[in-house]
């Protein structure tokens, strides 16, 4: 079945960077865009951007431009989201999701299980 | 890109119907037929409930329906059940290949 499996929880210090992985299986990796969404504790969902696994093209939410980098490795069907210059405001669960673009429909599904990133000194 | 506006909470008794609103602008909700809705239980990943304003995936109960008027989209749940208690999020295309979510609504089944 279609599945997105993410890397484990991370604890980082302010100013550091974090890189979260999202391994896809059960479908042709290059057919569907992968989006990243985060959710701070007790807060709503926040869209961060997407990567086209076929071309490597990306599009980031204005809020994260200059601080986020989304990449992929097609040989291992894995996408990555790296966020730099972390602050406590970046403490959140980061999730990858199949989303609009490529052969996907105009919705977000499936979702990875989420990766908790805690930023603390 | 400002988050779409949803009520923080709504509640209803079993069997009743409730509606959750999602207010955007003419740059997002009002311009595209691309609003989707997600259900999220605590500690779980969001689940797609409605897409393209009012379409329902086959695996989703027909008790869930979506609609839109101008810049405001709505999710209606009829015949409320205990298992419907969850957080609900709307999402809209916002142009330039970007997307925006709502702040979320906590549904309590009394």
């Amino acid at each position: 079945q279609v599945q997105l499996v993410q890397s484990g929880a991370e604890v980082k210090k302010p100013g550091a960077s974090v890189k979260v992985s999202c391994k896809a299986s059960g479908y042709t990796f290059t057919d569907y865009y992968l989006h990243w969404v985060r959710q701070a504790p007790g807060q709503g969902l926040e869209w961060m951007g997407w990567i086209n696994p076929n071309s490597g093209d990306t599009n980031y939410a204005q809020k994260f431009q200059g601080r986020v980098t989304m990449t992929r490795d097609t040989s291992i069907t894995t996408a990555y989201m790296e966020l730099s210059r972390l602050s406590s405001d970046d403490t959140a669960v980061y999730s990858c999701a199949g989303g609009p673009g490529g052969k996907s429909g105009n919705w977000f599904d499936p979702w990875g299980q989420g990766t908790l990133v805690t930023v603390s000194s | 890109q400002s988050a779409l506006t949803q009520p923080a909470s709504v509640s209803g008794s079993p069997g009743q119907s409730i509606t959750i609103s999602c207010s955007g602008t003419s740059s997002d909700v009002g311009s595209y037929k691309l609003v989707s809705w997600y259900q999220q239980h605590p500690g779980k990943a969001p689940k797609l409930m409605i897409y393209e304003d009012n379409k329902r995936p086959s695996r989703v109960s027909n008790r869930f329906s979506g609609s839109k008027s101008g810049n405001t989209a709505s999710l209606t749940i009829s015949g409320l059940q205990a298992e419907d208690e969850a957080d609900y999020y709307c999402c809209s295309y916002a142009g330039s290949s970007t997307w925006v979510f709502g702040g979320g609504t906590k549904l309590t089944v009394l």
Side-chain angles (χ1 to χ4, degrees):
Chain A
Q1 74 281 20
V2 176
Q3 200 171 9
L4 299 174
V5 178
Q6 299 181 221
S7 49
E10 303 261 14
V11 179
K12 296 292 182 181
K13 293 193 182 303
S17 297
V18 67
K19 190 171 186 177
V20 179
S21 68
C22 171
K23 179 165 177 61
S25 62
Y27 71 98
T28 302
F29 181 62
T30 51
D31 277 353
Y32 302 100
Y33 286 24
L34 283 171
H35 296 243
W36 289 88
V37 177
R38 78 176 186 179
Q39 186 169 28
Q43 303 299 310
L45 302 174
E46 184 173 29
W47 181 80
M48 298 180 69
W50 55 254
I51 182 167
N52 176 349
N54 188 38
S55 65
D57 288 345
T58 56
N59 193 35
Y60 305 138
Q62 194 170 7
K63 174 178 179 176
F64 299 102
Q65 285 183 6
R67 220 163 54 93
V68 70
T69 304
M70 296 177 189
T71 57
R72 91 296 189 212
D73 184 336
T74 57
S75 68
I76 54 172
T77 65
T78 298
Y80 303 91
M81 186 285 299
E82 183 170 21
L83 189 63
S84 63
R85 303 195 302 277
L86 293 170
S87 73
S88 57
D89 290 341
D90 294 314
T91 293
V93 172
Y94 291 78
S95 298
C96 59
K103 297 182 180 179
S104 175
N106 294 306
W107 56 78
F108 294 88
D109 183 71
W111 293 69
Q113 83 275 21
T115 297
L116 176 61
V117 175
T118 302
V119 183
S120 174
S121 55
Chain B
Q1 291 165 332
S2 297
L4 305 175
T5 301
Q6 299 181 231
S9 64
V10 297
S11 63
S13 299
Q16 289 186 329
S17 294
I18 62 96
T19 297
I20 299 172
S21 61
C22 170
S23 179
T25 70
S26 57
S27 297
D28 39 60
V29 173
S31 285
Y32 311 96
K33 193 176 168 59
L34 292 175
V35 172
S36 52
W37 288 89
Y38 302 84
Q39 175 192 66
Q40 186 180 37
H41 287 107
K44 300 294 187 182
K47 174 187 174 185
L48 175 68
M49 306 303 284
I50 296 289
Y51 66 98
E52 293 175 1
D53 288 4
N54 55 17
K55 297 178 181 177
R56 188 178 57 247
S58 57
R59 55 173 173 73
V60 173
S61 169
N62 59 11
R63 297 185 298 105
F64 292 82
S65 63
S67 63
K68 190 172 74 177
S69 177
N71 298 335
T72 300
S74 298
L75 173 71
T76 298
I77 308 173
S78 60
L80 211 55
Q81 300 179 359
E83 68 209 48
D84 300 332
E85 185 163 295
D87 294 328
Y88 291 83
Y89 294 91
C90 60
C91 177
S92 175
Y93 182 63
S96 301
S97 296
T98 66
W99 298 79
V100 61
F101 282 91
T105 298
K106 180 177 180 59
L107 169 62
T108 300
V109 180
L110 302 171

